[in-house]
Amino acid sequence: MRNLLHDMNPAMKFITVTIAMLGLAFFFNPWTPLLVFISILLMQFVFSSINWKLWTLLMFPFVLGAFGYLWTTIVFSAETGGTVIWSLFGHDVSDRQLALALSLAFRVLAFSSLSLLFALTTDPVKFVMSLMQQLKLSPKLAYGVLVGYQFLPVLRDEFFQIQQAHRLRGTAIEKYWWQRLLNIRRIIIPMLAGAVRKAERSAFAMEARGFTGEARKEFYQPVSIKTKDFALSATILLLVILSSITGTVLSS
């Protein structure tokens, strides 16, 4: 029950989240994105076992962005008419301005919650495999993405190793950030040379194992679409539809 979203077919989850975002983009009242945000949050709480501390950390910048939209829209938006609710530092705020500001702020939260639902419940490797099997993504592009993704931890470790090697050899530590930025080429150039060597070895290894880039019908790790995937997809879209209907009624 708590892992249903994690086990959902990644390609189907991607399509569902994309459709939900596109549908949400056509509603400009503040209630619809707020209800979508609450619904998606509850769905993650029930059907996933994500790290909520990580979710809060990733959501924090979006909350700041939503507050920024709210504040700037109220203060700097053009006159939209409507009934004046209150005066803020000599600036009259109407109900239409407040509704527009809340709509923009809640849209940020709704879109970010949908994005985090996909990002925190999807295995990247399984997602690429699903794109190949369900959406017929080119194996050349898919395996290229997989190899690049596997290189990221290696490049991170190499960055710290080269940095520590420079310090052991007595390289002075720059005092200012702009000095560190200018001297980062001493780390980037060795990393680039190492990345080229790793890419060549990976290409030779794939060719030696018979990889030609042609489409395949059988896979070592098959990813299928099950009945529960359709049920979860329908649930997400139903939540968006109900939120849109309820939001439209409340704003009218």
Side-chain angles (χ1 to χ4, degrees):
M1 183 81 175
R2 296 299 297 265
N3 292 322
L4 284 177
L5 284 174
H6 298 272
D7 298 333
M8 183 179 178
N9 182 274
M12 196 165 187
K13 190 192 306 182
F14 174 75
I15 294 174
T16 303
V17 170
T18 302
I19 294 174
M21 288 184 174
L22 292 175
L24 183 61
F26 290 96
F27 293 89
F28 300 96
N29 63 80
W31 290 105
T32 297
L34 175 61
L35 293 174
V36 169
F37 172 70
I38 296 174
S39 301
I40 296 300
L41 190 62
L42 291 175
M43 188 172 184
Q44 282 182 288
F45 183 78
V46 175
F47 296 117
S48 72
S49 56
I50 63 174
N51 186 342
W52 287 101
K53 291 184 178 179
L54 177 61
W55 185 91
T56 304
L57 182 63
L58 295 175
M59 193 69 186
F60 183 70
F62 295 109
V63 174
L64 292 180
F67 179 77
Y69 272 111
L70 178 68
W71 173 256
T72 54
T73 304
I74 289 177
V75 176
F76 300 108
S77 64
E79 294 293 336
T80 56
T83 305
V84 175
I85 303 176
W86 73 76
S87 294
L88 185 64
F89 302 115
H91 179 76
D92 294 334
V93 179
S94 65
D95 54 351
R96 292 184 181 179
Q97 283 179 307
L98 181 61
L100 177 61
L102 291 174
S103 175
L104 291 174
F106 291 149
R107 282 162 74 90
V108 172
L109 298 179
F111 283 121
S112 59
S113 65
L114 285 167
S115 300
L116 290 180
L117 180 144
F118 178 80
L120 296 179
T121 62
T122 305
D123 179 19
V125 176
K126 189 177 178 181
F127 175 50
V128 176
M129 297 297 294
S130 179
L131 290 178
M132 279 195 297
Q133 297 178 38
Q134 272 77 54
L135 300 184
K136 307 304 179 184
L137 180 68
S138 170
K140 290 183 179 180
L141 179 60
Y143 282 106
V145 172
L146 280 178
V147 171
Y149 176 75
Q150 298 296 333
F151 274 169
L152 290 179
V154 178
L155 293 177
R156 180 194 59 192
D157 294 338
E158 282 193 356
F159 178 85
F160 290 112
Q161 289 175 4
I162 296 172
Q163 193 178 48
Q164 295 297 327
H166 285 174
R167 291 179 180 177
L168 288 174
R169 292 173 183 175
T171 303
I173 300 177
E174 295 81 2
K175 183 178 180 181
Y176 302 102
W177 67 268
W178 56 270
Q179 292 177 328
R180 292 193 294 269
L181 185 62
L182 290 175
N183 291 329
I184 200 171
R185 66 181 182 276
R186 295 181 304 187
I187 299 177
I188 295 299
I189 293 176
M191 285 184 61
L192 180 61
V196 172
R197 289 194 296 268
K198 288 183 177 61
E200 289 180 348
R201 288 198 296 266
S202 299
F204 291 149
M206 293 174 73
E207 289 182 1
R209 287 166 174 77
F211 178 76
T212 60
E214 298 178 355
R216 299 181 179 182
K217 295 182 179 180
E218 296 182 358
F219 294 88
Y220 173 75
Q221 184 181 359
V223 181
S224 59
I225 299 179
K226 302 177 182 178
T227 306
K228 64 179 182 180
D229 298 325
F230 288 101
L232 287 171
S233 179
T235 302
I236 295 174
L237 295 178
L238 183 61
L239 288 175
V240 175
I241 293 173
L242 292 176
S243 299
S244 303
I245 295 174
T246 305
T248 302
V249 172
L250 292 174
S251 60
S252 60

